[in-house]
Amino acid sequence: MALTFSVRLKNMIEGSPSQSTHKQFSSFHVELLSAGTDGQNGPTDVAGAVVNKTLVEFAFGLGLDASKLFKNNDSYAFFK
């Protein structure tokens, strides 16, 4: 869920300034927290992720391809 939100957030950030969605979005600070645990988080050391504009810009600046990672079911690599 958080990885999908990252892709959508990137698309909104990169949207044309003339698009009404972009104009509306640019005035808001949006964050998503996806978390959950039953006390046992499985085979990894994570139980969720936080997504915001700063993280998305940083990750894509590093060349991380969230769409490709999503297709490979590898959100861990994106948020690591």
Side-chain angles (χ1 to χ4, degrees):
M1 179 172 71
L3 189 57
T4 298
F5 184 78
S6 298
V7 173
R8 303 261 179 174
L9 186 56
K10 178 182 183 262
N11 292 340
M12 291 180 82
I13 291 168
E14 292 180 338
S16 166
S18 64
Q19 294 174 337
S20 61
T21 302
H22 178 77
K23 286 181 181 179
Q24 293 171 350
F25 174 74
S26 64
S27 63
F28 292 98
H29 179 83
V30 179
E31 297 204 25
L32 172 84
L33 167 64
S34 173
T37 182
D38 60 1
Q40 297 178 353
N41 298 327
T44 69
D45 57 349
V46 296
V50 175
V51 179
N52 59 34
K53 181 180 176 181
T54 303
L55 172 86
V56 168
E57 289 173 337
F58 179 77
F60 285 96
L62 292 175
L64 293 172
D65 184 343
S67 296
K68 182 178 178 181
L69 293 169
F70 179 79
K71 288 176 185 174
N72 292 331
N73 294 312
D74 191 9
S75 62
Y76 187 86
F78 185 83
F79 292 104
K80 182 179 169 187

